Amino acid sequence: MSEPVVSIGREGEIALVIIDNPPVNALSQALRQELWAAADRLDADPEIKAVVLLCAGRTFIAGADVSEFGKPPMEPHLPDLVDRIEDATKPWIAAIHGSALGGGFEVALGCRFRVALESASVGLPEVTLGIIPGASGTVRTPRLAGVAAAAELITGGRPLKAAKAKAAGLIDAVIHGEDPGEDLRAGALAFAREALTRPLPPKTSERPVAAPEPGFWAEQESAAAKRAKGEAAPLRALASLRKAAEAPFAEAMAFERATFLDLRGSEQAAALRAVFFAERAAPRPVHLKGVEPKALKRVGVIGGGTMGAGIAAALRDAGFSVTLIERDAEALARGEANLRGIFAGGVKRGKLTEAQAEARMAGASFSTDYAALAEADLVIEAVFEEIGVKRAVFAELARHCRPEAILATNTSYLDPRAVAEGLSHPERFIGLHFFSPANVMKLLEIVPIPETAPEVLATGFALARALGKIPVQAGICEGFIGNRILKRYRAAAENLVRQGVAIAEIDAAMRDHGFAMGPFEAQDLGGLDIAFLQREGARAAGRNVPETLGDLLVKAGRKGQKTGGGWYDYAPGERKPQASAATTELLAPRIALGSPLDRKTIAERLVGEMAAEGEAILAEGVALQPSDVDLVEIHGYGFPRWRGGPMFATGRRSS
Ligand code: T1G
């Protein structure tokens, strides 16, 4: 028999039920069964008056065991267990640290009370897995928090911190302190003793759901439909919540369960599960197991432009001390202002307090002298994409940094081997390709050169973990994984235009498919000139790079939104694309009179091209596994997560 995952202790007339099911106390069948047995045993114990439910390890119950989802559900089912806890003859008090998520939060909802450490959060992230809560989350939550707060929690899937959860009525007390084994345990016991001196509140299932304002459901449904773009779970979650507000408890529970089981077997849920596990595996690649990363504290960033400042901000957010280097005082002042601007934006959006923004700036220093990097553990270069400029930077770094300091380039198109040419100790060199804005975008492509030492590569992954990013290792080729696929995608989209498909129709097709933007409006936003200059550079170097439609636009001065027009026209100060007569005229000689394609076909064709390029990349060893290609597309290029990425969506990987 395997080790028990539940133990029972006691403090006077209060029992402590302690779950210990690493890593995240997920509700495996064994755990459900042992909790049920604990409820039976404590009901039968006349000396026990209340039960505190605590978890060992890093977190409270993080949810159902996602790895059981492909298998038939086994008894005891979670909704029954939640009812069983609610029906216990003694009140249960959930004592939450870390995260109470999904089924974990539902177990807490079955308890008569919930208390949580300040640092804890609670949530129902099921929609992020393509499902809805399956154990009363949609039915009990509105009984505590009302339908508006419940709708936000359930259709958005984002957890709430303890203080906000308390304000919403989802927990009863916030416990001060940090240590779950001491502060939380003591706080929960004190709460339990106090609660026993008062009459018990009603069970959650017996509370009514307050009727919302008239028009509430119609408004919610249309907003959710607009956001969903084909993603099923948020709308189905809303329907379940509505049922909870309009039907008796048992009927709403049956509706929720049926919806949950239906979605669990869906293609979208399979895709989102595959992404879930790929994201968790990415930061710790198997081939680096046992390789110790180097310690990182002080990091230098060369270049204070949009990319450099974004990287510096990401580093400061993660607590590294940062030294930003620029070539002269003027550029340095601009770099400092860029960094300050990023934190000011955080304050404006309510993500940072003024004091936090100040502290972020206080941990950054600014210099035009590379000698300031003498103590740096890592330096990331983010200067102009020109080989001569970059090599000059690395020559300076070799002169001023410790020989064991890691030196990284953020190049997106140059060959990192060429950037590193002539560098002493090339084993410490690596490519770290961030995506703009670097403090927001989750993807980090990690590009070793042949000399890169394994510890240096492992340090790249450790850095990604510290920054909360999704790292993907890429081999050397033009554009690495992401930009190489982007190039093929854009070329395929241009081919459709050449065949006579309307530009706006292609963009609309990709938006309908779940992308935030289509390929042409995205180019207008980012500017067409960067890719153009890169093609021109390759042509100047004697390579055969066929003329693109984008080249024609740039040559006519149409570089995108910043010049008032690119593929589309833009009214001054506006970002809304308008069909452009000028573009039509410019491109007319290259465009055939073709038959139109429907949007679904357009999207499938373009995703097919991405996947075909992904396959070529895998065959060349530039990407190590299909899930890496999918993670790059989802986290760097806006591929709809619920479609699983181009490799998953085209059946090239199943999990
Ligand atoms: N099931 C199985 N394994 C899980 C898991 C889960 N729910 N959550 C995490 N793991 C594994 C993960 O793969 C990794 O494994 C290890 O635990 C550590 O995870 C009926 C339908 C809790 C905030 O969506 O958000 O309940 O790689 O690296 O950074 O309504 O894990 O070590 O082998 O992420 O400390 C809803 C998902 C399920 C929670 C901790 N619950 N988990 O973060 O660790 S649906 C979720 C998280 C549900 C009911 C339903 C995070 C965390 P390995 P980690 P972390």
Coordinates of all heavy atoms in Angstrom, one line a residue, residues 295-369:
A295 N 25.3 31.1 -10.0 CA 24.5 32.1 -9.2 C 24.5 33.4 -9.9 O 25.4 33.8 -10.5 CB 25.2 32.2 -7.8
L296 N 23.3 34.0 -9.9 CA 23.1 35.3 -10.5 C 22.6 36.3 -9.5 O 21.6 36.1 -8.8 CB 22.1 35.2 -11.6 CG 22.4 34.4 -12.9 CD1 21.2 34.5 -13.8 CD2 23.6 34.9 -13.6
K297 N 23.3 37.5 -9.4 CA 22.8 38.5 -8.6 C 22.8 39.9 -9.3 O 21.8 40.6 -9.4 CB 23.6 38.7 -7.3 CG 23.2 37.8 -6.2 CD 23.7 38.4 -4.9 CE 23.6 37.4 -3.7 NZ 24.9 37.1 -3.1
R298 N 24.0 40.2 -9.8 CA 24.2 41.5 -10.5 C 24.2 41.2 -12.0 O 24.9 40.4 -12.5 CB 25.5 42.1 -10.1 CG 25.5 42.6 -8.7 CD 26.9 43.0 -8.2 NE 27.7 41.8 -8.2 CZ 28.0 41.1 -7.1 NH1 27.5 41.5 -6.0 NH2 28.8 40.0 -7.2
V299 N 23.3 42.0 -12.7 CA 23.2 41.8 -14.1 C 23.4 43.1 -14.8 O 22.9 44.2 -14.4 CB 21.8 41.2 -14.5 CG1 21.7 40.9 -16.0 CG2 21.5 40.0 -13.7
G300 N 24.2 43.1 -15.9 CA 24.4 44.3 -16.7 C 23.5 44.2 -17.9 O 23.2 43.1 -18.5
V301 N 23.0 45.4 -18.4 CA 22.3 45.4 -19.7 C 22.9 46.5 -20.5 O 23.2 47.6 -20.1 CB 20.8 45.8 -19.4 CG1 20.0 45.9 -20.7 CG2 20.1 44.7 -18.5
I302 N 23.3 46.1 -21.8 CA 23.9 47.1 -22.7 C 22.8 47.6 -23.6 O 22.3 46.8 -24.4 CB 25.0 46.5 -23.5 CG1 26.0 45.6 -22.6 CG2 25.8 47.6 -24.2 CD1 26.7 46.4 -21.5
G303 N 22.5 48.9 -23.6 CA 21.5 49.5 -24.4 C 20.3 49.8 -23.7 O 19.7 48.9 -23.0
G304 N 19.8 51.0 -23.7 CA 18.6 51.4 -23.0 C 17.5 51.8 -23.9 O 16.6 52.6 -23.5
G305 N 17.4 51.2 -25.1 CA 16.3 51.4 -26.0 C 15.1 50.6 -25.4 O 15.1 50.1 -24.3
T306 N 14.0 50.5 -26.3 CA 12.8 49.8 -25.9 C 13.2 48.4 -25.3 O 12.7 48.0 -24.2 CB 11.9 49.6 -27.0 OG1 11.7 50.9 -27.6 CG2 10.6 49.0 -26.6
M307 N 14.0 47.7 -26.0 CA 14.3 46.3 -25.6 C 15.2 46.3 -24.4 O 14.9 45.5 -23.4 CB 15.0 45.6 -26.8 CG 15.2 44.1 -26.7 SD 13.7 43.3 -26.1 CE 13.2 42.4 -27.5
G308 N 16.3 47.0 -24.4 CA 17.2 47.1 -23.2 C 16.4 47.5 -21.9 O 16.6 46.9 -20.9
A309 N 15.6 48.5 -22.0 CA 14.9 49.0 -20.9 C 13.9 48.0 -20.4 O 13.7 47.8 -19.2 CB 14.2 50.3 -21.2
G310 N 13.2 47.3 -21.4 CA 12.3 46.2 -21.0 C 13.0 45.1 -20.3 O 12.4 44.6 -19.3
I311 N 14.1 44.7 -20.8 CA 14.9 43.6 -20.1 C 15.3 44.1 -18.7 O 15.2 43.3 -17.7 CB 16.1 43.2 -21.0 CG1 15.7 42.6 -22.3 CG2 17.0 42.3 -20.2 CD1 16.8 42.4 -23.3
A312 N 15.8 45.3 -18.6 CA 16.2 45.8 -17.3 C 15.0 45.8 -16.3 O 15.1 45.5 -15.1 CB 16.7 47.3 -17.4
A313 N 13.8 46.2 -16.8 CA 12.6 46.2 -16.0 C 12.3 44.8 -15.5 O 11.9 44.6 -14.3 CB 11.4 46.8 -16.8
A314 N 12.3 43.8 -16.5 CA 12.0 42.5 -16.1 C 13.0 42.0 -15.0 O 12.6 41.3 -14.0 CB 12.2 41.6 -17.3
L315 N 14.3 42.4 -15.1 CA 15.3 41.9 -14.1 C 15.0 42.6 -12.8 O 15.1 41.9 -11.7 CB 16.7 42.3 -14.6 CG 17.2 41.5 -15.8 CD1 18.4 42.3 -16.5 CD2 17.7 40.1 -15.4
R316 N 14.6 43.9 -12.8 CA 14.4 44.6 -11.5 C 13.1 44.0 -10.9 O 13.0 43.8 -9.7 CB 14.2 46.1 -11.7 CG 15.5 46.8 -12.0 CD 16.5 46.7 -10.8 NE 15.9 47.2 -9.5 CZ 15.8 46.6 -8.4 NH1 16.4 45.4 -8.3 NH2 15.3 47.1 -7.3
D317 N 12.1 43.7 -11.7 CA 10.9 43.1 -11.1 C 11.2 41.8 -10.4 O 10.5 41.4 -9.4 CB 9.9 42.8 -12.3 CG 9.2 44.0 -12.8 OD1 9.3 45.1 -12.2 OD2 8.6 44.0 -13.9
A318 N 12.2 41.1 -10.9 CA 12.6 39.8 -10.2 C 13.6 40.0 -9.1 O 14.1 39.0 -8.6 CB 13.1 38.8 -11.3
G319 N 14.0 41.2 -8.9 CA 14.9 41.5 -7.7 C 16.4 41.5 -8.0 O 17.2 41.6 -7.1
F320 N 16.8 41.4 -9.3 CA 18.2 41.5 -9.6 C 18.7 42.9 -9.5 O 17.9 43.8 -9.8 CB 18.5 41.0 -11.0 CG 18.3 39.5 -11.2 CD1 17.1 39.0 -11.8 CD2 19.2 38.6 -10.8 CE1 16.9 37.7 -11.9 CE2 19.0 37.2 -10.9 CZ 17.8 36.7 -11.5
S321 N 19.9 43.1 -9.1 CA 20.4 44.5 -9.2 C 20.9 44.7 -10.7 O 21.5 43.7 -11.3 CB 21.5 44.8 -8.2 OG 22.8 44.5 -8.7
V322 N 20.7 45.8 -11.2 CA 20.9 46.0 -12.7 C 21.8 47.2 -12.9 O 21.6 48.3 -12.3 CB 19.5 46.3 -13.4 CG1 19.8 46.7 -14.8 CG2 18.7 45.0 -13.3
T323 N 22.8 47.1 -13.8 CA 23.5 48.2 -14.3 C 23.3 48.4 -15.8 O 23.5 47.5 -16.5 CB 25.0 48.0 -14.0 OG1 25.2 47.7 -12.7 CG2 25.9 49.2 -14.5
L324 N 22.8 49.6 -16.1 CA 22.5 49.8 -17.6 C 23.6 50.7 -18.2 O 24.0 51.7 -17.6 CB 21.1 50.6 -17.7 CG 20.6 50.8 -19.1 CD1 20.0 49.5 -19.6 CD2 19.6 51.9 -19.1
I325 N 24.1 50.2 -19.3 CA 25.2 50.9 -19.9 C 24.7 51.5 -21.3 O 24.0 50.8 -22.1 CB 26.4 49.9 -20.2 CG1 26.9 49.3 -18.9 CG2 27.5 50.6 -21.0 CD1 27.8 50.1 -18.1
E326 N 25.1 52.7 -21.5 CA 24.8 53.3 -22.9 C 26.1 54.0 -23.4 O 27.0 54.2 -22.6 CB 23.6 54.3 -22.8 CG 22.3 53.7 -23.3 CD 22.2 53.4 -24.8 OE1 23.3 53.6 -25.5 OE2 21.2 53.0 -25.2
R327 N 26.1 54.4 -24.6 CA 27.3 54.9 -25.2 C 27.7 56.3 -24.9 O 28.8 56.7 -24.8 CB 27.3 54.7 -26.8 CG 26.2 55.5 -27.4 CD 26.2 55.2 -28.9 NE 25.1 56.1 -29.5 CZ 23.9 55.7 -29.5 NH1 23.5 54.6 -28.9 NH2 22.9 56.5 -30.0
D328 N 26.7 57.1 -24.6 CA 27.0 58.5 -24.2 C 25.9 59.0 -23.2 O 24.9 58.3 -23.0 CB 27.1 59.4 -25.4 CG 25.9 59.4 -26.2 OD1 24.7 59.3 -25.7 OD2 26.0 59.5 -27.5
A329 N 26.2 60.2 -22.6 CA 25.3 60.7 -21.5 C 23.9 60.9 -22.0 O 22.9 60.6 -21.3 CB 25.9 62.0 -21.0
E330 N 23.7 61.3 -23.3 CA 22.4 61.6 -23.8 C 21.6 60.3 -23.9 O 20.5 60.2 -23.5 CB 22.6 62.2 -25.1 CG 21.4 63.1 -25.6 CD 21.7 63.6 -27.0 OE1 22.8 64.2 -27.2 OE2 20.8 63.5 -27.8
A331 N 22.2 59.3 -24.5 CA 21.6 58.0 -24.7 C 21.3 57.4 -23.3 O 20.2 56.7 -23.1 CB 22.4 57.0 -25.5
L332 N 22.2 57.6 -22.4 CA 22.0 57.0 -21.0 C 20.8 57.7 -20.4 O 20.0 57.0 -19.7 CB 23.2 57.3 -20.2 CG 23.3 56.5 -18.9 CD1 23.3 55.0 -19.1 CD2 24.5 56.9 -18.0
A333 N 20.6 59.0 -20.5 CA 19.5 59.7 -19.9 C 18.2 59.1 -20.5 O 17.2 58.9 -19.8 CB 19.6 61.2 -20.1
R334 N 18.2 58.9 -21.8 CA 17.0 58.3 -22.5 C 16.7 56.9 -22.0 O 15.6 56.6 -21.7 CB 17.3 58.2 -24.0 CG 16.7 59.4 -24.8 CD 16.4 59.1 -26.3 NE 17.6 58.5 -26.9 CZ 18.6 59.1 -27.4 NH1 18.6 60.5 -27.5 NH2 19.7 58.5 -28.0
G335 N 17.8 56.1 -21.8 CA 17.6 54.8 -21.2 C 17.0 54.8 -19.8 O 16.1 54.1 -19.5
E336 N 17.5 55.7 -19.0 CA 17.0 55.9 -17.6 C 15.5 56.3 -17.7 O 14.7 55.7 -17.0 CB 17.8 56.9 -16.9 CG 17.4 57.0 -15.4 CD 18.3 57.8 -14.5 OE1 19.4 58.1 -15.0 OE2 18.0 58.0 -13.4
A337 N 15.2 57.2 -18.6 CA 13.8 57.7 -18.7 C 12.9 56.5 -19.2 O 11.8 56.4 -18.8 CB 13.7 58.9 -19.7
N338 N 13.4 55.7 -20.1 CA 12.6 54.6 -20.6 C 12.3 53.6 -19.5 O 11.1 53.2 -19.4 CB 13.4 53.8 -21.7 CG 13.4 54.5 -23.0 OD1 12.6 55.5 -23.2 ND2 14.3 54.1 -23.9
L339 N 13.3 53.3 -18.6 CA 13.1 52.4 -17.5 C 12.1 53.1 -16.5 O 11.1 52.4 -16.1 CB 14.4 52.1 -16.8 CG 14.3 51.1 -15.7 CD1 13.8 49.7 -16.3 CD2 15.7 50.9 -15.1
R340 N 12.3 54.3 -16.2 CA 11.4 55.0 -15.3 C 9.9 55.0 -15.9 O 9.0 54.8 -15.1 CB 11.8 56.4 -15.1 CG 11.2 57.1 -13.9 CD 11.8 58.6 -13.7 NE 13.1 58.6 -13.2 CZ 13.5 58.3 -12.0 NH1 12.6 58.0 -11.1 NH2 14.8 58.4 -11.6
G341 N 9.8 55.2 -17.2 CA 8.5 55.2 -17.8 C 7.8 53.8 -17.7 O 6.6 53.8 -17.5
I342 N 8.6 52.8 -17.8 CA 7.9 51.4 -17.6 C 7.3 51.3 -16.2 O 6.2 50.9 -16.1 CB 9.0 50.3 -17.9 CG1 9.4 50.3 -19.4 CG2 8.4 48.9 -17.5 CD1 10.5 49.4 -19.7
F343 N 8.1 51.7 -15.2 CA 7.6 51.6 -13.8 C 6.4 52.5 -13.6 O 5.4 52.2 -12.9 CB 8.7 51.7 -12.8 CG 9.7 50.7 -12.9 CD1 11.1 51.0 -12.9 CD2 9.4 49.3 -13.1 CE1 12.1 50.0 -13.0 CE2 10.3 48.3 -13.2 CZ 11.7 48.7 -13.2
A344 N 6.5 53.7 -14.2 CA 5.4 54.7 -14.0 C 4.2 54.1 -14.6 O 3.1 54.3 -14.1 CB 5.8 56.0 -14.7
G345 N 4.3 53.4 -15.8 CA 3.1 52.8 -16.4 C 2.5 51.7 -15.4 O 1.3 51.6 -15.3
G346 N 3.4 51.0 -14.7 CA 3.0 50.0 -13.7 C 2.1 50.7 -12.6 O 1.1 50.2 -12.2
V347 N 2.6 51.9 -12.2 CA 1.9 52.6 -11.1 C 0.5 53.1 -11.7 O -0.5 52.9 -11.0 CB 2.7 53.8 -10.7 CG1 1.9 54.7 -9.7 CG2 4.0 53.4 -10.0
K348 N 0.5 53.5 -12.9 CA -0.7 54.0 -13.5 C -1.8 52.9 -13.6 O -3.0 53.1 -13.4 CB -0.4 54.6 -14.9 CG -1.2 55.8 -15.3 CD -0.5 56.5 -16.5 CE -1.5 57.0 -17.5 NZ -0.8 57.4 -18.7
R349 N -1.3 51.7 -14.0 CA -2.3 50.6 -14.1 C -2.5 49.9 -12.8 O -3.2 48.9 -12.8 CB -1.7 49.6 -15.1 CG -1.8 50.1 -16.6 CD -1.5 49.0 -17.5 NE -0.2 48.4 -17.3 CZ 0.9 49.0 -17.8 NH1 0.9 50.1 -18.5 NH2 2.1 48.5 -17.5
G350 N -2.0 50.5 -11.7 CA -2.3 49.9 -10.4 C -1.5 48.6 -10.1 O -1.8 47.9 -9.1
K351 N -0.5 48.3 -10.9 CA 0.3 47.1 -10.6 C 1.4 47.3 -9.6 O 1.9 46.4 -9.0 CB 0.9 46.6 -11.9 CG -0.1 46.3 -13.0 CD 0.1 44.9 -13.5 CE -0.8 44.5 -14.6 NZ -1.9 43.7 -14.3
L352 N 1.8 48.6 -9.5 CA 2.9 48.9 -8.5 C 2.5 50.1 -7.7 O 1.7 51.0 -8.2 CB 4.2 49.4 -9.3 CG 5.0 48.4 -10.1 CD1 6.2 49.1 -10.8 CD2 5.5 47.3 -9.1
T353 N 3.0 50.2 -6.5 CA 2.8 51.5 -5.7 C 3.9 52.4 -6.1 O 4.9 52.0 -6.6 CB 2.8 51.2 -4.2 OG1 4.1 50.7 -3.9 CG2 1.8 50.1 -3.8
E354 N 3.7 53.7 -5.7 CA 4.8 54.7 -6.0 C 6.1 54.2 -5.3 O 7.2 54.3 -5.9 CB 4.4 56.0 -5.4 CG 3.3 56.8 -6.1 CD 3.8 57.5 -7.3 OE1 5.0 57.5 -7.6 OE2 2.9 58.1 -8.0
A355 N 6.0 53.7 -4.1 CA 7.1 53.3 -3.3 C 7.8 52.1 -4.0 O 9.1 52.1 -4.1 CB 6.7 52.9 -1.9
Q356 N 7.0 51.2 -4.5 CA 7.6 50.0 -5.2 C 8.4 50.5 -6.5 O 9.5 50.0 -6.8 CB 6.6 49.0 -5.6 CG 6.1 48.2 -4.4 CD 4.9 47.4 -4.8 OE1 4.0 47.8 -5.5 NE2 4.8 46.2 -4.2
A357 N 7.8 51.4 -7.2 CA 8.4 51.9 -8.4 C 9.7 52.6 -8.1 O 10.7 52.4 -8.8 CB 7.5 52.9 -9.2
E358 N 9.7 53.4 -7.0 CA 11.0 54.0 -6.6 C 12.0 53.0 -6.2 O 13.2 53.1 -6.6 CB 10.7 54.9 -5.4 CG 10.3 56.3 -5.7 CD 11.1 57.0 -6.8 OE1 12.3 57.0 -6.7 OE2 10.5 57.4 -7.8
A359 N 11.6 51.9 -5.5 CA 12.6 50.9 -5.1 C 13.1 50.2 -6.4 O 14.3 49.8 -6.4 CB 11.9 49.9 -4.2
R360 N 12.2 50.0 -7.4 CA 12.7 49.4 -8.6 C 13.8 50.2 -9.2 O 14.8 49.7 -9.7 CB 11.6 49.2 -9.6 CG 10.4 48.3 -9.2 CD 10.8 46.9 -9.4 NE 9.6 46.0 -9.6 CZ 8.8 45.6 -8.7 NH1 9.0 46.0 -7.4 NH2 7.8 44.8 -8.9
M361 N 13.6 51.5 -9.3 CA 14.6 52.4 -9.8 C 15.9 52.5 -9.0 O 17.0 52.5 -9.5 CB 14.1 53.9 -10.0 CG 13.1 54.1 -11.2 SD 13.8 53.6 -12.8 CE 14.9 54.9 -13.2
A362 N 15.7 52.4 -7.7 CA 16.8 52.5 -6.8 C 17.8 51.3 -6.9 O 19.0 51.4 -6.7 CB 16.4 52.6 -5.3
G363 N 17.3 50.2 -7.4 CA 18.1 49.0 -7.6 C 18.8 49.0 -9.0 O 19.4 48.0 -9.3
A364 N 18.6 50.1 -9.7 CA 19.3 50.1 -11.0 C 20.3 51.3 -11.0 O 20.0 52.3 -10.4 CB 18.2 50.4 -12.1
S365 N 21.5 51.0 -11.6 CA 22.4 52.1 -11.8 C 22.7 52.3 -13.3 O 22.4 51.4 -14.1 CB 23.7 51.8 -11.0 OG 24.2 50.6 -11.4
F366 N 23.3 53.5 -13.6 CA 23.4 53.8 -15.0 C 24.8 54.4 -15.2 O 25.3 55.1 -14.4 CB 22.4 54.9 -15.3 CG 21.0 54.5 -15.0 CD1 20.4 54.6 -13.7 CD2 20.2 53.9 -16.0 CE1 19.2 54.2 -13.4 CE2 18.9 53.4 -15.7 CZ 18.4 53.6 -14.4
S367 N 25.4 53.9 -16.3 CA 26.8 54.4 -16.6 C 27.1 54.3 -18.0 O 26.5 53.6 -18.8 CB 27.7 53.5 -15.8 OG 29.1 53.9 -16.0
T368 N 28.1 55.1 -18.4 CA 28.6 55.0 -19.8 C 30.0 54.3 -19.8 O 30.6 54.2 -20.8 CB 28.8 56.5 -20.4 OG1 29.7 57.2 -19.5 CG2 27.5 57.2 -20.6
D369 N 30.4 53.8 -18.6 CA 31.7 53.2 -18.4 C 31.5 51.7 -18.2 O 30.9 51.3 -17.2 CB 32.4 53.9 -17.2 CG 33.8 53.4 -17.1 OD1 34.2 52.5 -17.8 OD2 34.5 53.9 -16.2

